[in-house]
Amino acid sequence: VVAEGSEFDTVLTATSNTVCLKYDFHGDIPNIFSPESGNTAVNWFKINAVHIDTTNSSLKIYNKWGELVLESTNPSEGWNGNIANESKECPSGLYVYVLSLKQHGSGTYYRTGVVQLLR
């Protein structure tokens, strides 16, 4: 790069041998679910994806106070709206999820978002 009218005759050249690949996520992440709906399609917050490598994936869900309510190494198992998928129900509200998903034959996909739990 040489600036016109510059008192310097310096040319800067940048090269790189780094290749950046963008991996596309192949699946769906719902933004709302209702455990008591009676509709099995929306009873759980599930990451619907194919070819998940469960040894390199994780799903964490936090409440509005930043408390961890679910941690899973298999995001496709989902969340039933209870703390650690046990018997104590979480109240209706917004929850933050942090997803790290490795799909076989693809890269690692990172995503954070909000899901609404309706009771």
Side-chain angles (χ1 to χ4, degrees), residues 52-100:
I52 295 176
D53 178 357
T54 57
T55 60
N56 294 305
S57 298
S58 69
L59 172 66
K60 295 178 182 178
I61 298 178
Y62 298 89
N63 65 17
K64 63 183 175 183
W65 297 283
E67 298 169 330
L68 185 67
V69 296
L70 177 78
E71 183 170 18
S72 173
T73 57
N74 187 353
S76 63
E77 286 179 355
W79 178 43
N80 66 1
N82 294 348
I83 295 176
N85 282 341
E86 299 293 331
S87 60
K88 186 172 181 185
E89 293 182 350
C90 295
S92 291
L94 297 176
Y95 291 82
V96 174
Y97 66 84
V98 178
L99 173 66
S100 170

Side-chain angles (χ1 to χ4, degrees), residues 19-26 103 105-111:
V19 176
C20 297
L21 300 175
K22 182 177 189 263
Y23 294 104
D24 291 329
F25 172 69
H26 301 287
Q103 291 182 291
S106 186
T108 302
Y109 177 81
Y110 302 97
R111 175 122 185 227

Side-chain angles (χ1 to χ4, degrees), residues 8-31:
F8 303 102
D9 292 331
T10 303
V11 175
L12 300 174
T13 304
T15 59
S16 173
N17 62 353
T18 302
V19 176
C20 297
L21 300 175
K22 182 177 189 263
Y23 294 104
D24 291 329
F25 172 69
H26 301 287
D28 297 310
I29 302 173
N31 60 5

